[in-house]
Amino acid sequence: RSLPVSDSPMTDAITALLAGPTAEETRKGYTSLIPKGTRLLSALRRGSTAYLSFSEDFQFNTYGAPGYIAQLQQVLWTATEFPEVEDVQILIEGRIVNYLGAEVPIGAPLKRSAFN
C-alpha cells in the first residue's frame, strides 16, 4: 500500500495497518486479524528494535492462538519492512505484557523468524 511521505513512516504504516484493508484490498481477499478498535499509542525505535505500544484492544483476539500469531505477523512484517528495524517489542498501554492470550509470548522483542 502506498502512503504519503512523512517524518514518521513506520508510525504511518502501522496506523494504516490498524485501519484494516481498503475496499480494493478486501476485493482482493486481504483481511486483518488485528482486533477492531486497536490503536497505536506510540512508536519509537531504539537501536534496531521498534517499540510499539497498542491500546488494550490488541489483547482481545477472538480467534485464539492462531489469531494472535496472525496479528503479530501482520505487525512484525509491517515494522520490519523498514531496514533499520530488526525486531519489535509489543507493549500494551506502554507496558510489557508477557503473553497474548495464555500461550503466545510477547514479553521480549520478536523477530520474523519466530513465526516461520
Side-chain angles (χ1 to χ4, degrees):
R1 181 185 303 181
S2 295
L3 296 174
V5 174
S6 80
D7 293 335
S8 53
M10 183 177 63
T11 299
D12 294 344
I14 297 293
T15 301
L17 174 67
L18 297 179
T22 63
E24 180 181 336
E25 291 166 341
T26 299
R27 281 192 299 278
K28 291 179 178 179
Y30 298 166
T31 189
S32 176
L33 288 179
I34 297 172
K36 297 250 187 259
T38 297
R39 292 175 293 115
L40 180 64
L41 303 178
S42 65
L44 62 96
R45 186 178 53 85
R46 288 190 196 129
S48 62
T49 302
Y51 291 82
L52 303 177
S53 180
F54 295 99
S55 61
E56 286 185 348
D57 301 291
F58 192 78
Q59 299 180 95
F60 304 110
N61 192 306
T62 58
Y63 296 100
Y68 288 127
I69 290 168
Q71 80 186 57
L72 288 172
Q73 286 174 317
Q74 288 179 283
V75 169
L76 283 170
W77 267 250
T78 300
T80 58
E81 280 297 310
F82 297 91
E84 63 275 8
V85 177
E86 292 180 16
D87 53 18
V88 176
Q89 175 65 63
I90 301 292
L91 305 170
I92 306 297
E93 301 283 336
R95 296 174 286 109
I96 291 178
V97 173
N98 289 323
Y99 294 93
L100 280 180
E103 68 244 28
V104 180
I106 61 166
L110 302 169
K111 293 182 179 282
R112 284 185 179 199
S113 61
F115 296 99
N116 287 337

